[in-house]
Amino acid sequence: MEGAGRAQEAAERLAKLARVDGPASTGPAGARAREPVRIPGADEYRAPREWREELMEAMREQTPEKYRE
């Protein structure tokens, strides 16, 4: 029953933390956790050139055997 006791204790600690922080706690950057987040459109972001080149190179290669159907 040691595992069950630890699980119960962890659940109680989490519940206590939820009550202390509340739903309007601040995130790591200091912004409110409930404020809306603006997601940029597809035309507003461009992946780094190196990443795009690596992706294109990988697409040219043959699929590894374990991933083939």
Side-chain angles (χ1 to χ4, degrees):
M1 292 280 281
E2 184 178 304
R6 286 186 176 177
Q8 180 63 32
E9 181 182 318
E12 290 171 0
R13 289 195 328 235
L14 285 172
K16 182 179 177 183
L17 286 172
R19 286 190 303 271
V20 170
D21 290 343
S25 65
T26 58
R32 289 289 199 190
R34 298 289 182 187
E35 290 181 7
V37 175
R38 185 186 166 284
I39 299 174
D43 59 333
E44 295 178 291
Y45 176 76
R46 186 172 173 112
R49 182 180 185 94
E50 182 179 304
W51 184 86
R52 294 192 317 268
E53 289 173 357
E54 183 179 337
L55 177 63
M56 292 301 292
E57 183 178 323
M59 291 173 65
R60 287 186 209 108
E61 295 175 5
Q62 196 169 29
T63 307
E65 184 67 38
K66 66 180 183 179
Y67 295 112
R68 294 184 196 156
E69 293 186 87

